[in-house]
Amino acid sequence: MMAAISVARSSCGLINGLKVSLRSVTRVKYGAVSATVPQTSLHRSCRWYSVSHLSVKERIDQKRQAALQGGGQQRIEAQHKRGKLTARERVQLLLDPESFVETDMFVEHRCADFGMEQDRNKFPGDSVVTGRGRINGRLVYVFSQDFTVFGGSLSGAHAQKICKIMDQAMTVGAPVIGLNDSGGARIQEGVESLAGYADIFLRNVMASGVIPQISLIMGPCAGGAVYSPALTDFTFMVKDTSYLFITGPDVVKSVTNEDVTQEELGGAKTHTTVSGVAHRAFENDIEALLNLREFFNFLPLSNQDPAPIRESHDSSDRLVPSLDSIVPLESTKAYDMLDIIHAIVDERDFFEIMPNYAKNIVVGFARMNGRTVGIVGNQPKVASGCLDINSSVKGARFVRFCDAFNIPIITFVDVPGFLPGTAQEYGGIIRHGAKLLFAFAEATVPKITIITRKAYGGAYDVMSSKHLRGDVNYAWPTAEVAVMGAKGAVQIIFRGKENQAEAEAEYVEKFANPFPAAVRGFVDDIIEPATTRKKICQDLEMLASKKQVNPWKKHANIPL
Amino acid sequence: MTLWMIGNMAAHSVPSTLKRLLFAVKYSPLQSRCCAVQREAQYSTISIPSEKTFDKILIANRGEIACRVHVKMADEAVCVGSAPTSKSYLNMDAIMDAIRVTGAQAVHPGYGFLSENKEFAKRLAAEGVAFIGPDTHAIQAMGDKIESKLIAKAAKVNTIPGFDGVVKTAEEAVKIAQEIGYPVMIKASAGGGGKGMRIAWNDEETREGFRFSSQEAASSFGDDRLLIEKYIDNPRHIEIQVLADKHGNALWLNERECSIQRRNQKVVEEAPSTFLDPVTRRAMGEQAVQLAKAVQYSSAGTVEFLVDSKKNFYFLEMNTRLQVEHPITECITGLDLVEQMIRVAKGYQLQHTQDDIPINGWAIECRVYAEDPYKSFGLPSIGRLSQYQEPLDLDKVRVDSGIQEGSDISIYYDPMISKLITYGATRAEALGRMEDALDNYVIRGVTHNIPLLREIITHPRFVSGHISTNFLPEVYPDGFKGHQLEADAKRELLASAAVLYITAELRSAKVLGTQRVASTPVECSHWELCVELGEERQDVEISKSGTVYTVEMDGAKVEVWGALNLASPLLPLTINGTQRMLQCLSRDAAGVIVLQYLGTLFKVRVLSKLAAELNSYMPEKVSEDTSSILRSPMPGTVVAVSVKPGDTVAEGQEICVIEAMKMQNSLTAVKQAKVKSVHCKPGETVGEGDLLVELE
C-alpha cells in the first residue's frame, strides 16, 4: 500500500512543519504527474481543448465528462482493486436515486508550483465531490473525497468546496456527511492546504450542535486531517481499508522505535475497541454506506427540528412479560442489558454506538412508538456495569449529542458504582466521571430513567437521577438504591461488631429494595417490568412538549 | 436455581380427582401452555364426585413436565437446589424435605429424574406418602434390565439375547459382546429410553462404549450397572401403553410408533403406527398386559418393543412411569393418563375394559428441542428465549412446555423446549396441522430443531410410513442440510424477501409529523433489485399495485399479497394464491434478511441493482483455517482432556470430551497433527465456539 506510506509522510509534514513535507515531495506517489509519465488520452484532450476553439457548450460538456472520470479509468480500476468504491459511486449509493445535486464540478486547484499548473495536472472538480441530496427523502449535504485525483489530497480548492457546502448546510439546517478517503495535505500547495484544513475545522466547530455531522472513513485519513472527523458527531470506519492516525508507522518507528502496522496503529479495530475514536466499523464500503442511510433515519436535520417520527408497526402498549424474569434473583449474577433494550424498543431495532468500546455502558439509538430516542444503559455483563473513565466519556458524549438534537434520553440503571483503583484514580476518573454527571445534569431533553437493579453511591446520582432533573424515574421491584452494597455498608456501620451476617441481612431488608428511594420521591413509581415499554411510550407522548431552559451563558465549562 | 410449586387444582379439567397439586418447576413465574386437544376430543373418563381425593400432590419435576400434569397455576414453590440435576431434581433429601414442608399426601414424579428410582419410592412409602406410579417391587423388577427380561421371558414375552449387570472392565464388556455377537448395544441399566445408548460393531467400539456408558451411569443415575445386548438392525421402535390398577386389572391402550430417533432419542412419535395390523397390535398388547400382570403392575406404564420388518417383535424394556410421548395415546384413546394414574394410586379400580379402548383418529408429537439440527441431527444449543410464541391459536394443537418468553435454556437440563402435538381424524390431517403448527411456532434466542422436524414430517418416506430407527441417517447420509428448495419454492422465497425489503424501504421514506425542511416523498411503484441466496444472484423486478406486489424474475411472475407488519416475527403471505406462513428472523441495513420458509432458515440478501453491481468490487474476507483449531460445537462442561501440548494426535483421535445436556460428546482431531496448545481443562464450562485446542 504505497498510498498509505505516502500518507505517513505527508502527515509527518503536517506535524513537523512544511519543510519536512517539501522534502518528502518527490517520494509522494500521488503527487503531480511527472513529465515522464505517459499521458492518458483524456489528459491529452484536456490540453487540446484548452487551446482549441470549441464552443462554450462543448467545453462545458467536456469538463463535466472529465469531472465524472475523476483521476481517470486506470486510477478508478486501482481503487476498485483495493476493494474501494470511487467517490461518485459512494455518493450514488448513499443518496436516494437521482437526488444528488452537485456543486463546484468545475473547480480546479490553483497551485502553480512543481508543474502543477500544467493542464494534465488539472482535474475538474479537483479531489473531492460535493453537493446535496436526499436520504429517504430527507435533505443532506455530502462531500466525498476522490482518491483517484492526487490520492484525494486536500488542496485549497478542495477545502473551499467542502466549506461551501458546510456553510450552506448551516444556513439551511441540514446534516453534513463526509466520506473521507484522502492521502492528506496537497504538499505541493504547502500552507494553502493547512489553511484549508483549518477552515474546515472551524466550520466543524461552528456546526457542532447545530447540525449533525457524520464522518465515514473509507480510506486513509492521517495527520492534521484526522481532526475533522474527530470534531464531528460520529465517526464510522470501513474495516481493512480505512486508517486514522496522527503519524504513520514509519514516523512512529523513527520517533519511538515501535514496530506497528497501519492496521494496528489506526485501523477500524483499534479505533472501535481501544481508542474509542470511531463509533462503529463496517465490513466494506457497501455495508458502511447502507448502514449510514439507516443511521441517518434516526437523526433530526438540525437542532431546530424535533427527533423524527417514523410509522411504527410495534404497538406502543405492548407488554413485555419476558422482562419480569430477566433480572436474576442473585444480585451478583449478570444479565445482558441489551436483552432489555431489544425487548422494549420498537421492533427490536437498536443502532448501537461504540458497541465494542467501554462495553460496561451501552449507548445507541432506537425508536419508541416511532420516535427516535437515545438509550443509555449500564451493562451488568461487563465489569458489573460499573462506571469507569472510558464508559463515562462514552456516555457523556452520547448524552450531549442527544441533548443538542432534541432526542429524548432513556436511561437503564444497574450500576454498582465507580470503578476503584490506582489506574482509574491516576487516569482522572474524577474529572472524566464528572463529564457524564455534567452531561446528564445539563440535558434539557425529556429524560426517563429506569432503575432495573443496583443504583449505588455517586453513580446513582450520575445516571440521570431525579436530582439531575430526570422527568420520569422508575424503579423495577428488583431495584436497590443505596449508598453501597450491603457487605461494604455493614462493615462500616458495624465495624468490629460480631454477627456481621445478621447485620448484613438487616441492611439488605432495609435498603436493598426500591422503598428507601420511593418513599422519598426519588423514584416516581415502582413498576412491573412488563409494563416498561407502555409506560415509556406514554411518558414520551406527554414529554413531547417539555420546555426547559438552562441559565444564559456563553457556554458551560464542562470538565474536559 | 430450582423451584417447587404447589398448584391449586381449581383449574383442573377433571376437578373431582384432587384438590391441590404441588410440583417442581425450573422457571418462575410459570404459565401453563397446556392446550388440550382433549378438550375437544372429550375424555371418556367419567368423574365420580363421591371418590375421595388427595388434597395435595407433589410433582417432583421440571416445569414442562409438571405443567403437563394438568396444572394451570401453582401456588407453592420450593427450591430444591442449584441447577446441576444431581443437586436438585436428583437430590432425594431436598425433595423429602419439600414433601414435609408442604404436607403433600402424594407425589407424582413426572418422567426422568426420580420417576423410576426405587429408592425414592421406598422412602416415600416410609413416610406414608403415596407414590403416583407402580409399587416399588414393580419399579425394581422393571427398572432392572436383567430381571425385567427374565420376568418377561417367564411371562411368555418375546425377548432378545443380552447381558445386564455390573461390568467391571472394558475387557469384560468385550467378552460379553463377543458372546452375544455383534452388533451389540451398550447403555446404563438405570437410564430410560435411548439416553446414553451406544452401538458397538467391534471390540474397539465396545471399549469406548463401556467407558462412556459407565461414566454416564454414575453421573446421571448414580447406578453403575450396564446393559449389553444384541442390537437388532433396521428395527422399528413401537411401544404399548398399559394401564393397570391395584386390583389385578390391566389394559393395553394401543401403540405408539417412536421410530424416528436421533442418537437413540425420540424426535417424532405418532399413534397409532402405520405398520401394525390388528393382529400384531393385539399380540403385542396382550404380551404387554401379561408382563404388567406378572409384576402386579399398577399405574400407567409403557412396554417398549423392537419390531423388525417381518413384524416380529421383541421386548426391549418397560418404563414404569408416564412417558414424554403419552399425549398422543391420550388423543387417540380419549383417556387422561394422569388422572388414571392418580385414581389408581388412590386405590380405585379401572373404569374401562379392553373393549372400551378405541383408536380415534391420529396423533403426532414432535419434540421441539433447543439444538442445532445441522450438527449430528441435533447438538445442544443454549440461550435466552428472546421471543417465544406457541401456535396455540391453531385448532387441535397442543403444546406442553414449561418455558416462556425470557426463559433461559441452560446446559444443565434436557434441551427439550416443548412437546408439540397435533390431532386429526386421519393421519394426513394430523400431519397437515403439524406443518402449520411448526410454521407458526416462534422461537428466538436459541437454535431449535424445527427445520428438521418439518422436513421429517413432510418427507415422502415418512408420509408413506416407510420408516425405521435408522430413518435419519438413511435419509440424510451426509447429515441434515435443511430444506432443499425447488425452483418454484425458491422464487417464492426470493419474492417474499424482495417484498419485505420494499415494504421496509417505503416505510423508511415515510416521515411523520410536521417538518421544517420538506422531505421529498418517494413515489415509486416499480423497483429493480438483485436478490442473493448463497452463491446465486437473481435480478428481480417488482411492481406494486395497491397491496399486491408482482415480482418478476427468470421470466416467471410471482404475486405476493400480504399486509406486512414489520414488527411481527410471523409473515403471513399469500403467494400466487397460496397461503404461506413465513417468519422473519432478522433484517439489517445491509439488505440481509433471514427468513424461515418451509421450516428452514434462509439468509437472503436484497440489494438495489446499483448496490449489487458495486458489490462485485467488494473483496471476499478470508475466514480462519478451522482444520487446526478445535472449537466447542456446543456449550457444556469439559469432562476430560485427553491431550497435552506436544502430543501428536492421529486423525479421529479423541481430544476432549464435552458434557452437555446430560450427553457426553467426544471431540476428535480432523487431521493428524501435533498439539500446539490446550485452552481448556476438565470441569470448565465452555460456550459454543470457544477455542479448546490448537493443533500445529
Side-chain angles (χ1 to χ4, degrees), chain A residues 37 116 416:
Chain A
V37 174
M116 290 291 281

Side-chain angles (χ1 to χ4, degrees), chain A residues 65-101:
Chain A
Q65 277 310 310
L68 294 177
Q69 283 294 308
Q73 199 52 44
Q74 254 179 327
R75 294 250 160 85
I76 289 175
E77 276 163 25
Q79 178 84 347
H80 285 159
K81 272 210 190 84
R82 282 186 207 101
K84 290 157 64 177
L85 299 180
T86 66
R88 286 179 187 280
E89 287 165 345
R90 287 166 176 167
V91 169
Q92 232 186 326
L93 207 53
L94 175 66
L95 302 178
D96 292 347
E98 286 152 46
S99 71
F100 182 51
V101 180

Side-chain angles (χ1 to χ4, degrees), chain B residues 601-617:
Chain B
L601 298 186
F602 294 97
K603 191 172 156 186
V604 184
R605 188 164 189 204
V606 186
L607 290 173
S608 68
K609 217 170 170 192
L610 172 75
E613 273 163 27
L614 296 177
N615 202 33
S616 61
Y617 297 124

Side-chain angles (χ1 to χ4, degrees), chain B residues 262-263 369-381 447-455 476 478-484 594-603 633 688:
Chain B
R262 56 112 182 78
R263 296 196 305 275
Y369 283 108
E371 54 183 28
D372 183 350
Y374 294 83
K375 295 178 185 165
S376 321
F377 301 114
L379 283 189
S381 117
T447 313
H448 54 79
N449 68 336
I450 283 179
L452 176 64
L453 293 172
R454 200 182 185 286
E455 280 304 285
Y476 308 104
D478 305 320
F480 179 65
K481 303 265 191 278
H483 183 81
Q484 302 302 308
V594 179
L595 290 176
Q596 181 181 312
Y597 176 59
L598 301 175
T600 294
L601 298 186
F602 294 97
K603 191 172 156 186
E688 183 176 337

Side-chain angles (χ1 to χ4, degrees), chain B residues 268-270 328 362-366 420-422 430-431 434:
Chain B
V268 177
E269 297 113 335
E270 61 182 309
I328 54 177
W362 216 283
I364 317 271
E365 175 180 284
C366 282
L420 178 62
I421 302 116
T422 61
L431 283 176
M434 184 58 83

Side-chain angles (χ1 to χ4, degrees), chain A residues 136-184:
Chain A
N136 285 309
R138 300 168 68 226
L139 183 63
V140 64
Y141 284 81
V142 184
F143 70 87
S144 176
Q145 295 179 318
D146 189 348
F147 197 77
T148 67
V149 178
F150 297 116
S153 61
L154 188 127
S155 64
H158 178 134
Q160 184 195 325
K161 279 181 74 173
I162 293 175
C163 291
K164 189 193 263 183
I165 60 137
M166 290 183 76
D167 288 341
Q168 193 168 89
M170 285 285 278
T171 56
V172 172
V176 173
I177 294 178
L179 306 178
N180 297 63
D181 187 0
S182 163

